[in-house]
Amino acid sequence: MGLRSNGIVYTIGFCLFGGAACEPTSYAAEHTIELQFNENSIHDSGFEGEFSNDLAATTSRWFRAGESNEAGIQFTGAHTLSGSQSVVFGDYTNNGSIAQNVDLQIDPTKHYHLSFWIRVDDSSEDDAHTSESSLQAALYSAPEKGGPYIHRVDLLENATVPAGAGWERMEATVSGTDLDSHDGEYLQLRLSKVNENSSHKIYIDNVSLIEKETAKAPHPISRLVVGGNLVYDHEPESTWEDGTKIELMKHLGMSNLRYPEGGQTRFWDWEFPYHDHPYRNFWDPAYEATLTEQRKAELKEQNGYRLSLDRFLEICEETGAVPLIGINMTQGWKYDRLQDSVDKAVRLVQLRKRQNRRPSLLLSVQRSRQ
């Protein structure tokens, strides 16, 4: 794939059904796409820094505003969309805001597009906390950079998502013509927790404010574009114990993780992942005949080091990644047991629903082309 920007072409090759490189039997494609990049006016959009105490005219960092309990609004690593931190409105009782003085002046001929990711989670144990957990997004402006800033327009009111549903994106656009009486004034973005006595904490991450020529919203690139591959036979669980890999995944922003791999999915038995070889045709009648209870106990002892499905799902929880789990249809196709393959996949999905660990699940169906 080629990406063209300002006369420069960036080429990315990809193949389907190939391995490390595209084989002659693989399907390959190459495209050129011209991209227009819009500069995000928000400094530290992913909350990787810290709140600023310097509210002078030159500051462009996040600061708290109108929060009676400043400890309630914090940078946190508890839930993150990407990177190592997000910001949490953690005080159930009080409301409050975060704000940033951005280096933009109102231009009536332009449009201003806001987007951010929001998550509602961690319910209060106080029965009096029943209000909706929601945010307001607004633009303020001032003739001089540094203020005083005055409210001009609301971009979003009562922005929220279902509690426990994970991260969702919020977007809004305002035309500069709605602000033409304040032409040339400096902008401030303010995100505010609306209600007191709210039922849950509110997390936000990856904020952007973009000045555009048109009202058309920028085309978002899915956060799932950056992911990793965990090969269950090559990732002993012991190598994840000290947390080093977890922190690395979070730092790199791995937003989805695939398991148990690509080609190995065609041989993966999620209910007994201890076979003598990761590429074993486990429904081969001759092999099945050897699987006495004693032999299965021996295999589990020998291969219990492999990265289990449960540990993989824990890793996804700890890193904030969406799990991409392979579904093995090869064995059913190869040995005329398609319904058994379907039933096996259904049991996996049902287990996930009972565990209710994360709301997101992607399934990759693997079937041999041979």
Side-chain angles (χ1 to χ4, degrees), residues 74-125:
Q74 294 288 340
F75 286 15
T76 178
H79 298 291
T80 62
L81 177 72
S82 62
S84 61
Q85 294 187 144
S86 64
V87 74
V88 60
F89 292 80
D91 187 340
Y92 301 103
T93 303
N94 298 303
N95 51 26
S97 305
I98 61 170
Q100 186 171 134
N101 303 337
V102 297
D103 193 21
L104 283 178
Q105 292 175 267
I106 294 173
D107 182 341
T109 68
K110 301 294 178 64
H111 296 79
Y112 299 92
H113 181 79
L114 169 71
S115 76
F116 61 89
W117 290 78
I118 182 172
R119 176 175 183 147
V120 175
D121 221 318
D122 304 328
S123 62
S124 171
E125 296 180 357

Side-chain angles (χ1 to χ4, degrees), residues 3-4 33 38 44 60 77 100 118 139 142 152 228 293 354:
L3 306 181
R4 183 188 302 274
I33 301 174
N38 298 285
D44 190 19
S60 62
Q100 186 171 134
I118 182 172
L139 290 179
R152 301 304 185 194
E293 290 303 314
R354 289 195 302 271

Side-chain angles (χ1 to χ4, degrees), residues 75-361:
F75 286 15
T76 178
H79 298 291
T80 62
L81 177 72
S82 62
S84 61
Q85 294 187 144
S86 64
V87 74
V88 60
F89 292 80
D91 187 340
Y92 301 103
T93 303
N94 298 303
N95 51 26
S97 305
I98 61 170
Q100 186 171 134
N101 303 337
V102 297
D103 193 21
L104 283 178
Q105 292 175 267
I106 294 173
D107 182 341
T109 68
K110 301 294 178 64
H111 296 79
Y112 299 92
H113 181 79
L114 169 71
S115 76
F116 61 89
W117 290 78
I118 182 172
R119 176 175 183 147
V120 175
D121 221 318
D122 304 328
S123 62
S124 171
E125 296 180 357
D126 190 332
D127 292 338
H129 294 161
T130 58
S131 299
E132 181 182 64
S133 301
S134 58
L135 291 179
Q136 177 192 58
L139 290 179
Y140 288 57
S141 72
E144 301 293 334
K145 191 173 183 181
Y149 289 86
I150 299 173
H151 176 271
R152 301 304 185 194
V153 64
D154 289 332
L155 289 143
L156 290 168
E157 296 182 354
N158 299 314
T160 189
V161 294
W167 292 96
E168 293 190 26
R169 187 175 185 172
M170 296 288 170
E171 296 184 276
T173 299
V174 63
S175 171
T177 57
D178 295 335
L179 302 166
D180 59 358
S181 60
H182 308 289
D183 186 6
E185 292 190 355
Y186 290 90
L187 284 173
Q188 179 192 86
L189 173 66
R190 189 171 294 206
L191 301 172
S192 305
K193 177 175 175 283
V194 177
N195 297 321
E196 297 179 345
N197 298 319
S198 55
S199 60
H200 292 75
K201 295 180 181 180
I202 305 171
Y203 297 83
I204 57 174
D205 207 351
N206 290 12
V207 181
S208 71
L209 181 64
I210 296 171
E211 184 180 71
K212 291 177 53 62
E213 298 292 337
T214 68
K216 184 178 180 181
H219 179 70
I221 298 176
S222 171
R223 73 182 189 92
L224 299 179
V225 74
V226 179
N229 193 42
L230 297 188
V231 185
Y232 86 111
D233 187 50
H234 296 172
E235 293 286 344
E237 289 193 3
S238 60
T239 64
W240 292 86
E241 290 178 356
D242 66 0
T244 301
K245 287 185 177 181
I246 296 293
E247 292 306 312
L248 180 60
M249 290 286 189
K250 292 168 68 174
H251 178 72
L252 293 175
M254 290 293 182
S255 55
N256 71 91
L257 294 173
R258 184 172 71 163
Y259 177 91
E261 196 239 2
Q264 282 191 10
T265 299
R266 293 176 289 145
F267 305 90
W268 178 54
D269 181 357
W270 77 266
E271 292 171 305
F272 188 77
Y274 311 113
H275 295 291
D276 59 347
H277 195 281
Y279 291 93
R280 168 63 64 188
N281 287 312
F282 58 83
W283 276 346
D284 181 341
Y287 174 72
E288 277 194 301
T290 70
L291 292 179
T292 64
E293 290 303 314
Q294 179 179 346
R295 179 55 178 157
K296 290 174 73 173
E298 292 172 352
L299 290 172
K300 187 172 182 178
E301 177 69 23
Q302 293 170 8
N303 300 315
Y305 68 89
R306 293 171 179 167
L307 184 65
S308 68
L309 176 60
D310 283 343
R311 183 65 184 113
F312 166 72
L313 294 173
E314 290 174 357
I315 290 168
C316 290
E317 290 177 351
E318 293 169 19
T319 60
V322 173
L324 173 59
I325 300 174
I327 295 297
N328 182 356
M329 296 300 293
T330 296
Q331 297 299 301
W333 169 76
K334 188 177 182 70
Y335 295 104
D336 196 24
R337 295 176 60 174
L338 284 178
Q339 188 58 51
D340 287 341
S341 282
V342 171
D343 292 343
K344 199 174 188 69
V346 169
R347 289 195 296 272
L348 173 58
V349 175
Q350 289 174 337
L351 174 66
R352 283 277 297 149
K353 291 177 67 176
R354 289 195 302 271
Q355 291 173 333
N356 195 29
R357 277 177 163 159
R358 284 177 59 85
S360 300
L361 172 66

